[in-house]
């Protein structure tokens, strides 16, 4: 999605900072675009030129995290290290992510993470010869992702007390054997 490729970096930074500040006290569904614009000093027209809504801004913020972590796997970062980096980043802003993960449904961060995780797993598994169009693998991946999406939500809701290493171990143990084999052989 090309929502902010040409966005003025100072405006984008101010919007990200405004979102972070608002979400230190409010869940995303209660944050208003008007409050973001006022805090960031950005016009409504500019905001909507680059973002569909506040959820798109939130999701683009998360995409920046993914670009620095999971997307770095193409440069040799292991799956484990990329995953640990994501959870360490989430842990550094516990209130923000607790408030970000409360909403479900279309455009939510929850759905965005699910969709990006699905794309990542499909790409990794197809790269190892699995046909991810096969209904068996589609259902297996869907079940795994649906179940494991609840873990970071509960972790955030309960104060992120467990270490990122513990979360990774849980995710890895829950991963279907068909996928775990490829992740452990090539991405640990």
């Amino acid at each position: 999605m090309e929502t902010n490729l040409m966005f003025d970096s100072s405006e984008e930074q101010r919007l990200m900072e405004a979102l972070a500040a608002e979400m230190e006290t409010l869940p995303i569904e209660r944050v208003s675009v008007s409050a973001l614009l006022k805090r960031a000093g950005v016009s409504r027209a500019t905001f909507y030129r680059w973002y569909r809504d506040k959820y798109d801004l939130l999701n683009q913020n998360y995409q920046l995290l993914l670009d620095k972590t999971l997307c770095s796997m193409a440069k040799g970062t292991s799956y484990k290290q990329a995953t640990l980096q994501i959870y360490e980043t989430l842990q550094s802003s516990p209130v923000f992510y607790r408030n970000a993960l409360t909403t479900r449904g279309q455009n939510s961060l929850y759905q965005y993470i699910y969709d990006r995780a699905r794309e990542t797993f499909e790409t990794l598994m197809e790269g190892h010869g699995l046909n991810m169009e096969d209904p068996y693998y589609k259902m297996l991946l869907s079940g795994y992702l649906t179940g494991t999406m609840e873990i970071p939500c509960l972790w955030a809701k309960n104060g992120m007390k467990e270490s990122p290493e513990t979360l990774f171990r849980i995710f890895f143990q829950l991963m279907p054997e068909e996928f775990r084999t490829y992740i452990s052989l090539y991405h640990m």
Side-chain angles (χ1 to χ4, degrees):
M1 179 183 342
E2 296 184 23
T3 57
N4 62 357
L5 293 178
M6 298 178 66
F7 202 87
D8 178 291
S9 62
S10 68
E11 289 176 326
E12 182 177 27
Q13 185 63 38
R14 289 194 318 264
L15 282 166
M16 296 290 183
E17 289 170 0
L19 180 65
E22 289 292 314
M23 289 182 59
E24 282 300 316
T25 59
L26 297 170
I28 185 66
E29 64 269 7
R30 292 188 42 215
V31 171
S32 72
V33 171
S34 295
L36 291 173
L37 299 178
K38 183 177 180 180
R39 189 181 284 266
V42 173
S43 74
R44 188 170 291 277
T46 298
F47 179 86
Y48 284 111
R49 184 175 335 131
W50 300 109
Y51 299 102
R52 288 187 314 264
D53 53 28
K54 62 188 176 183
Y55 299 100
D56 193 28
L57 174 62
L58 176 63
N59 294 341
Q60 291 303 312
N61 188 12
Y62 191 77
Q63 184 60 47
L64 294 173
L65 172 61
L66 291 180
D67 290 345
K68 294 175 185 174
T69 56
L70 282 184
C71 295
S72 69
M73 287 172 54
K75 298 175 188 170
T77 301
S78 72
Y79 176 77
K80 179 179 182 178
Q81 188 57 42
T83 303
L84 289 174
Q85 289 172 354
I86 289 172
Y87 289 107
E88 288 163 0
T89 301
L90 297 183
Q91 200 171 37
S92 71
S93 300
V95 176
F96 176 86
Y97 285 104
R98 182 191 68 219
N99 286 333
L101 291 168
T102 59
T103 302
R104 306 289 172 93
Q106 186 179 9
N107 297 335
S108 68
L109 181 60
Y110 181 96
Q111 187 63 48
Y112 189 82
I113 294 170
Y114 179 92
D115 292 343
R116 298 299 78 75
R118 181 176 204 87
E119 290 168 7
T120 300
F121 266 91
E122 286 175 347
T123 300
L124 287 172
M125 295 304 109
E126 286 169 350
H128 294 294
L130 288 181
N131 176 7
M132 295 307 291
E133 292 300 315
D134 181 311
Y136 172 78
Y137 291 123
K138 277 187 162 205
M139 287 188 279
L140 194 61
L141 181 57
S142 181
Y144 171 66
L145 292 177
T146 300
T148 57
M149 280 300 301
E150 291 305 313
I151 294 168
C153 294
L154 290 171
W155 183 59
K157 182 180 178 181
N158 294 324
M160 299 184 176
K161 295 175 185 121
E162 296 80 9
S163 70
E165 179 72 37
T166 298
L167 285 184
F168 179 79
R169 284 197 329 267
I170 292 168
F171 284 125
F172 194 70
Q173 288 302 311
L174 293 172
M175 188 180 295
E177 187 62 37
E178 291 89 333
F179 303 151
R180 194 179 327 150
T181 299
Y182 295 113
I183 295 292
S184 65
L185 286 177
Y186 300 101
H187 299 287
M188 299 298 280

